[in-house]
Amino acid sequence: MDFRHQTLALQDLASADADALLLIIGAEPKGLALPGPLQQLIQDAFAAGDFAIKPGRALYLHQPAGMRAKRVVVAACAGAAPKAVRAALARALAAVKELGGVKQIAVASAGCGAWTRAQALAVAVAVGEASYVYGHTKSTAPKPPAWKRVTLLTPAEDAAEAREGLRRGQAIAAGMTFAREQANRPGNFCTPTLLADAAKALAKQHGLGIQVFDRAGIEKIGMGSFLSVARGSEEPPRFIVLRYDGAAKSEAPIVLVGKGVTFDTGGISLKPGAEMDEMKFDMGGAASVLGTFRAVAELKPRINLVGLIPATENMPSGRATKPGDVVTSLSGQTIEILNTDAEGRLILCDALTYAERFKPACVVDIATLTGACVIALGHHNSGLFSPDDELAQSLLDAGREALDPAWRMPLDEEYDEQLKSNFADMANIGGRAAGSVTAAMFLKRFTKAYRWAHLDIAGTAWKSGAAKGGTGRPVPLLTSFVLAQADSRSATRAGGRRAAPADAPATPAAAPAGRRRAAAQPEAPAAAKRASTRRARA
């Protein structure tokens, strides 16, 4: 998609060169500085009740007098917040999809305040979401929308913010599309090997460093917990290591760890058959890491980034790990596997131990980990767990700015009692209660060497029903977090101090010395997950 910016005042919109002009309105038409004929048409529609400043309302005008654009879609915006702008634009784009011959789109707003970076970013993401169609396994691939160019029209005083927002939004939209495409591919078209091949292609195209370990390489590293999940599958596992080197080698990297279970049957602790097809989405964490690298590679921030993806299937067979088996993780800690459907933490824990060798500034793992998180938070917020207040706040701020929200969950030490085992250092589940917390507590045992956060995206990585498919989340959150860290480090290098974002909460995050050890949460056992949600996963 070709995103552009053009300086154009509202009163000059009649000259906008586009097949369709999408006008977002956040206030009653009377008094808006629009071209006369357009202003009158909108006012008349408003007076007649054909249009109102309410979410979801839109008005289509065909060849309005005096306008260069042959089609104008007016969409109501409930305020100036980026979320409202994105929703209004999504409504306008839906109307444009039904029209023919629209290859060039222009976007403008009136009554929504000055254009901000966050608003412009929201425009690019909305266009990216509306443009994506899946066709990899269809005999006749559906045609994507005809539009090829989108131009954001703003007053001159908003140009700098708009350009930067578009730049970031375009990269994030591309990253989300990449993540959605990988997640949407069926398990036989996205095996661990094929996922590694996609990572190699991404690395080659964007100049990233990559190393892929096969089963023998994983065994040599000593990832016994990871391999225990792969035992039941005919498909060989892969361990993918990606690198983006945008800063000096001496600068500690951010490490992203993505769960890559390309299909999850639950193993011997077999899931129910209903909607098991959606377990192809259990590599949503891995997809989001790849999507984030796609965005970061385009934006080229001055920062070092490492991506770790343990990729495997979780299948039942005569070789599969059994409930009650004890395995030894890369850290040397032993794990009693009480439920093979709590496999996500078993592959993540070895990747988290592996992350130590990079001496990271921080580590964030991303996983479709627990059905319990879906029950707790639904499908709007990802679950955020971290014992580090400062890191947690940075991730929350990034999610807020990118319209990819997360909600912080507890990690109190008392939850750790649920992971006790008579036969190993720990069990891989802690019972039905607080399933997402005990899953995080399990992971926390492998992160003592660095600052760490865990994102449970079980409720946000995909949608079910008629709109079934990957969402591309949390690529926006992760990319915005990486960019914020890069900005902060650049300010430090320059000897300055980065100001807090305008939308930062009034209460500042605690300093590192005052980090609060929050409570973690284990993945819910299969029985509990089945009882609580149809979107169970490990």
Side-chain angles (χ1 to χ4, degrees), residues 1 153 193 215 420 437 520 534:
M1 183 64 61
L153 308 175
T193 300
R215 186 187 298 271
K420 285 186 174 179
V437 181
R534 61 187 177 81

Side-chain angles (χ1 to χ4, degrees), residues 464-476:
S464 299
K468 182 187 294 187
T471 63
R473 296 180 64 185
V475 170

Side-chain angles (χ1 to χ4, degrees), residues 214-491:
D214 59 11
R215 186 187 298 271
I218 298 168
E219 289 174 347
K220 187 174 181 180
I221 294 171
M223 294 178 155
S225 184
F226 175 16
L227 289 169
S228 73
V229 178
R231 284 177 55 85
S233 177
E234 294 293 330
E235 291 287 344
R238 293 289 184 265
F239 183 53
I240 304 164
V241 182
L242 276 169
R243 292 204 64 146
Y244 165 81
D245 298 314
K249 291 183 178 180
S250 58
E251 188 167 300
I254 295 172
V255 177
L256 304 179
V257 181
K259 175 186 171 184
V261 178
T262 57
F263 195 81
D264 181 20
T265 67
I268 297 300
S269 305
L270 193 67
K271 294 178 181 289
E275 298 174 344
M276 193 193 286
D277 65 289
E278 294 190 5
M279 289 302 97
K280 70 178 184 178
F281 296 118
D282 211 18
M283 41 68 72
S288 70
V289 170
L290 294 176
T292 300
F293 268 80
R294 168 67 178 81
V296 168
E298 181 173 327
L299 294 169
K300 295 179 173 54
R302 291 185 60 190
I303 202 164
N304 294 329
L305 188 65
V306 174
L308 304 178
I309 298 174
T312 181
E313 289 183 337
N314 184 26
M315 300 288 286
S317 75
R319 295 189 304 274
T321 296
K322 307 173 295 297
D325 285 357
V326 174
V327 299
T328 302
S329 67
L330 177 59
S331 70
Q333 298 177 88
T334 59
I335 304 164
E336 182 184 12
I337 300 175
L338 297 179
N339 191 311
T340 64
D341 192 26
E343 88 294 333
R345 67 202 73 187
L346 296 176
I347 69 174
L348 288 173
C349 70
D350 278 349
L352 289 169
T353 301
Y354 188 87
E356 292 181 19
R357 65 191 59 196
F358 297 100
K359 296 180 173 56
C362 65
V363 177
V364 181
D365 76 74
I366 311 99
T368 51
L369 205 62
T370 66
C373 196
V374 183
I375 298 304
L377 297 176
H379 306 294
H380 304 293
N381 285 272
S382 298
L384 169 63
F385 303 81
S386 180
D388 186 313
D389 288 344
E390 186 179 39
L391 177 58
Q393 191 61 56
S394 296
L395 288 162
L396 291 172
D397 290 343
R400 187 179 299 109
E401 178 179 357
L403 302 182
D404 187 5
W407 190 266
R408 193 174 182 186
M409 302 284 280
L411 273 178
D412 302 290
E413 295 296 338
E414 288 79 2
Y415 291 103
D416 206 49
E417 293 294 313
Q418 295 174 229
L419 296 175
K420 285 186 174 179
S421 167
N422 291 342
F423 306 106
D425 296 330
M426 71 193 83
N428 77 320
I429 58 173
R432 184 174 182 178
S436 60
V437 181
T438 51
M441 289 303 289
F442 178 94
L443 296 175
K444 181 171 174 280
R445 291 180 176 224
F446 301 86
T447 64
K448 296 178 180 178
Y450 47 70
R451 302 172 67 204
W452 161 77
H454 159 59
L455 284 169
D456 192 330
I457 59 171
T460 57
W462 80 88
K463 295 179 180 179
S464 299
K468 182 187 294 187
T471 63
R473 296 180 64 185
V475 170
L477 183 159
L478 294 171
T479 304
S480 294
F481 169 72
V482 171
L483 294 177
Q485 296 301 303
D487 290 346
S488 178
R489 294 183 190 188
S490 293

Side-chain angles (χ1 to χ4, degrees), residues 24-26 55 75-91 93 107 109 111-127 129 152 161-162 165-166 169 172 397-405 476 480 501-504:
I24 300 169
I25 291 185
C77 185
K83 183 177 180 179
V85 170
R86 185 178 70 176
L89 185 59
R91 176 66 182 87
L93 289 167
V107 178
S109 75
C112 297
W115 279 98
T116 65
R117 185 178 72 180
Q119 285 180 338
L121 188 153
V123 166
V125 170
V127 172
E129 289 179 326
L152 181 59
E161 284 281 300
L166 278 182
I172 289 172
D397 290 343
R400 187 179 299 109
E401 178 179 357
L403 302 182
D404 187 5
S480 294
D503 59 352

